[in-house]
Amino acid sequence: MPDIAEQMAKRRPTFKTEAELKAFPFCIKGQKSYNVNDSVISGLYVRIGRLTKTFKLDFTFNGKGKTLVLGQFKTQLTLAQGRARAKEALAMLATGKDPALEKQLNKQAAREAEKQAEIDRIAKIQTFSKTYHEWFAVSSIGKRKNTIVAYASVTKTHLLPKIGDMPIVEIETKDIAAIINSLTGSIATKTKIKVALRGTFNYAIASGFISKNPLEGLEALVTKSKVEPKKMPAIVDPIEVADMLQQIDTWVETDIRHSIYVRLAIKLFTYLPFRSNELLGLTWDEIDLENAKINIPKDRMKTKQPFTAYLSTQAQEIFGQLLKLKQSQFVFCSYTGKHIYRESVLKAFREIGIDPEKHCLHGFRSTFSSLCNEAHAPFELVELSLSHQIGTAVSRVYDRSSLEQPRRRLMQWYSDLIDSLRNGNGTIELNVNGLYAKD
C-alpha cells in the first residue's frame, strides 16, 4: 500500500474550509505523518498524524527558519481560531519579535502566575499560630524541657492572642512593633519573644509563605526604653539568713512529703552558689569526691564554658550521703530515673514557709555574693565561684590553675559561716590574706 505521506507530498494538498481539512484522513500504523497547507495564510499548515491534526506556522526570524506550534485542530482550535493565532504570530513577527520565543515566555509567565496564585492561596490560610507551631516543633528538638516550656509560655501569653489568627502574609512591621512596645517585664521575656518571632518568620520565608520578613525595619518603630534587669529576691542580712537556715533545717528534719533528694538538694543550695539547673542536673561522672570538686561540662553551663567548683567538707558529706542512695547516673534521681526538676524543688521550698518575695532558690547565689563581699573577699574569687566570666581568655586559663587553693579556702570559709549562722553563733571573720597563703 503506497505511503499516504508520499502521495500527499507529491500532490501538495491544500485546504480552504474546515470541511476540507476534516476530509484529510489520519495516518494508519506504519505510515508517516504528512502536511496539508492552508490556502489562505502563507506558512500555515496542519501536520496530520495517527490521532491528531496540529496547526503549525513556518516563519523566518533573523535569517533562520523556525516553526511555531499553534494547537490541535478540533480538540483545541477551529480553523478560524488557528488562522487567528497565525495572524497574531505574524503580526508579532512584523514588530521584530520571535513568536516562538514569546510563546515560551508566555508559558513560563503563566506557570509562575499559577504557582504564585497557589502560594497566595496557601498563605491566606497559613496563620501566624499555625506557622509558629510548625517552626517550634522543629526548633525545640533537643532543647531542655524548661527552655521549651518558657518559650511556649511567653508566646501563648504575648503573641498568639494578638496575631495568632492573622494570615502570616498579612502581618506587617507595625503589628510586631505594637506588640513589642506594649510589653512590660524582664529583658529575658522580650528576648524570648524576639527569638520566637525571628524563628517563625524565617521559617515562613523558607517555606514560601511570605517573601519579606516583617521584622526588617522593626527597630525604627520600637520605642527605646531602659528596662531594669529583673532582680531575684534574696535574703542577705546575716540575722535574716540565720533565721532562714534554721527554718530550712527544721523542715529538712521533719518533712515526710518529699524525697530525700529534694531535701538534700535544698540543703546543698545553702552551701553551693549554683544555678538551680546546674546543681539539680549533676551526674556522678561530674563529681570527684576524692579531690573534693565538681567538673561541669560547657553544654550544661549558662556561660557555655566548663566550670569547676570546689567542695567544702560540709558539701562533701552531703554528696557522700547521696552516693549511698545512688540509683542512676543522676545525683538527684527522680522515680523516673531522670534528675528531679527545678519545679519539684521550688514547690518544696515554698512549703518551708520562706516568703517568696524575699528569697528564692536563685537567691542563694546573691546571699553568697553579699556575705562574701561584706567580709571583703577578693572580687575574682567570688566571681569565679559564681561561674561568672572575668578577664580575658588567657587570664581565665591562669585563674583555673593559680586560684584553686584560694577558691577552696573561700568555699570552706563560707560553709563554716553558714553553719555558724545556722547554729546561732553569728558571723565569722574571713582571713583574706590567708586565702592566698602557700601550703
Side-chain angles (χ1 to χ4, degrees):
M1 183 178 183
D3 192 313
I4 191 170
E6 293 179 2
Q7 294 180 14
M8 292 299 177
K10 293 176 181 179
R11 290 169 48 195
R12 297 189 178 184
T14 61
F15 62 87
K16 185 174 183 179
T17 66
E18 190 159 306
E20 291 174 349
L21 179 56
K22 286 181 181 179
F24 286 105
F26 289 106
C27 297
I28 62 176
K29 187 175 180 180
Q31 291 179 337
K32 295 180 181 179
S33 300
Y34 65 97
N35 300 334
V36 289
N37 297 326
D38 181 29
S39 61
V40 176
I41 298 177
S42 177
L44 177 63
Y45 62 95
V46 173
R47 182 75 169 175
I48 301 177
R50 289 182 58 198
L51 300 173
T52 60
K53 297 180 180 181
T54 306
F55 287 104
K56 293 187 176 185
L57 178 69
D58 284 344
F59 64 95
T60 301
F61 184 79
N62 288 341
K64 294 182 179 180
K66 290 192 158 191
T67 299
L68 175 66
V69 177
L70 302 175
Q72 292 183 10
F73 174 57
K74 289 190 71 175
T75 57
Q76 293 178 326
L77 302 171
T78 63
L79 176 57
Q81 291 170 333
R83 285 171 174 163
R85 287 196 180 182
K87 289 178 181 179
E88 291 173 4
L90 293 172
M92 190 179 298
L93 183 64
T95 64
K97 293 181 180 180
D98 181 350
L101 177 60
E102 290 299 317
K103 180 182 178 182
Q104 290 178 2
L105 295 176
N106 289 338
K107 277 188 176 181
Q108 183 178 349
R111 284 195 297 267
E112 290 176 355
E114 185 178 344
K115 181 180 177 181
Q116 187 60 47
E118 179 63 12
I119 291 174
D120 293 342
R121 184 190 69 80
I122 294 174
K124 286 288 184 182
I125 61 174
Q126 188 75 24
T127 63
F128 176 86
S129 177
K130 187 173 186 294
T131 310
Y132 162 75
H133 284 104
E134 289 175 7
W135 163 75
F136 193 68
V138 175
S139 66
S140 60
I141 296 173
K143 289 199 170 52
R144 295 178 182 177
K145 179 181 178 182
N146 289 347
T147 302
I148 295 172
V149 170
Y151 275 91
S153 176
V154 297
T155 305
K156 183 179 180 181
T157 303
H158 299 288
L159 294 179
L160 298 186
K162 296 177 181 177
I163 60 173
D165 293 333
M166 288 181 66
I168 197 162
V169 72
E170 294 181 4
I171 297 175
E172 299 179 2
T173 306
K174 63 182 178 63
D175 300 317
I176 305 302
I179 294 174
I180 301 297
N181 289 334
S182 69
L183 290 175
T184 58
S186 68
I187 294 176
T189 296
K190 287 190 175 183
T191 300
K192 288 184 177 68
I193 288 173
K194 288 180 179 179
V195 169
L197 287 168
R198 190 182 308 116
T200 302
F201 287 120
N202 285 344
Y203 174 84
I205 288 175
S207 301
F209 302 143
I210 58 175
S211 57
K212 182 185 176 184
N213 194 328
L215 296 182
E216 293 178 9
L218 177 64
E219 294 304 318
L221 298 178
V222 172
T223 303
K224 307 295 181 183
S225 60
K226 184 178 179 180
V227 180
E228 294 295 330
K230 183 179 180 181
K231 293 183 178 180
M232 297 292 186
I235 294 174
V236 297
D237 179 78
I239 296 176
E240 292 185 19
V241 171
D243 291 339
M244 174 178 66
L245 293 171
Q246 289 164 9
Q247 278 184 274
I248 291 173
D249 264 11
T250 300
W251 177 83
V252 168
E253 293 170 3
T254 59
D255 175 72
I256 57 174
R257 294 185 58 193
H258 301 280
S259 73
I260 185 65
Y261 297 106
V262 171
R263 298 198 296 274
L264 292 180
I266 290 176
K267 196 162 185 178
L268 269 172
F269 274 116
T270 67
Y271 292 121
L272 298 174
F274 276 28
R275 297 177 183 89
S276 55
N277 288 334
E278 291 163 4
L279 178 69
L280 299 177
L282 283 173
T283 57
W284 282 111
D285 60 359
E286 296 170 351
I287 310 291
D288 183 355
L289 284 180
E290 183 179 348
N291 294 300
K293 64 180 181 180
I294 296 174
N295 296 303
I296 304 179
K298 64 180 181 180
D299 60 316
R300 285 219 313 111
M301 294 298 298
K302 181 181 179 181
T303 59
K304 299 305 178 186
Q305 294 295 326
F307 175 62
T308 298
Y310 300 103
L311 302 178
S312 63
T313 55
Q314 292 91 328
Q316 275 184 287
E317 182 182 345
I318 295 175
F319 279 113
Q321 295 178 52
L322 288 163
L323 183 58
K324 294 176 182 178
L325 302 170
K326 181 179 177 181
Q327 296 184 41
S328 76
Q329 63 173 319
F330 294 106
V331 176
F332 301 98
C333 182
S334 70
Y335 69 91
T336 63
K338 298 180 180 180
H339 68 78
I340 57 177
Y341 286 109
R342 179 172 174 268
E343 289 74 17
S344 301
V345 180
L346 282 174
K347 182 179 179 182
F349 190 70
R350 286 192 289 266
E351 292 178 9
I352 295 174
I354 299 168
D355 186 352
E357 297 296 321
K358 295 183 66 176
H359 196 84
C360 64
L361 284 180
H362 196 84
F364 284 112
R365 289 169 59 81
S366 297
T367 302
F368 170 82
S369 179
S370 296
L371 293 180
C372 285
N373 290 330
E374 189 173 314
H376 306 292
F379 171 79
E380 70 272 15
L381 298 186
V382 175
E383 292 299 293
L384 287 170
S385 298
L386 288 165
S387 71
H388 288 165
Q389 295 287 308
I390 61 171
T392 64
V394 174
S395 67
R396 286 197 289 271
V397 172
Y398 172 77
D399 290 338
R400 285 200 295 272
S401 60
S402 67
L403 296 179
E404 176 180 338
Q405 289 306 318
R407 286 182 58 196
R408 285 185 181 276
R409 293 181 184 119
L410 178 66
M411 292 310 300
Q412 187 59 58
W413 168 82
Y414 183 72
S415 291
D416 293 341
L417 170 64
I418 290 297
D419 283 352
S420 181
L421 293 172
R422 176 182 282 116
N423 296 328
N425 296 327
T427 60
I428 58 176
E429 186 179 352
L430 172 64
N431 181 359
V432 177
N433 292 329
L435 292 173
Y436 296 96
K438 294 183 179 180
D439 293 333

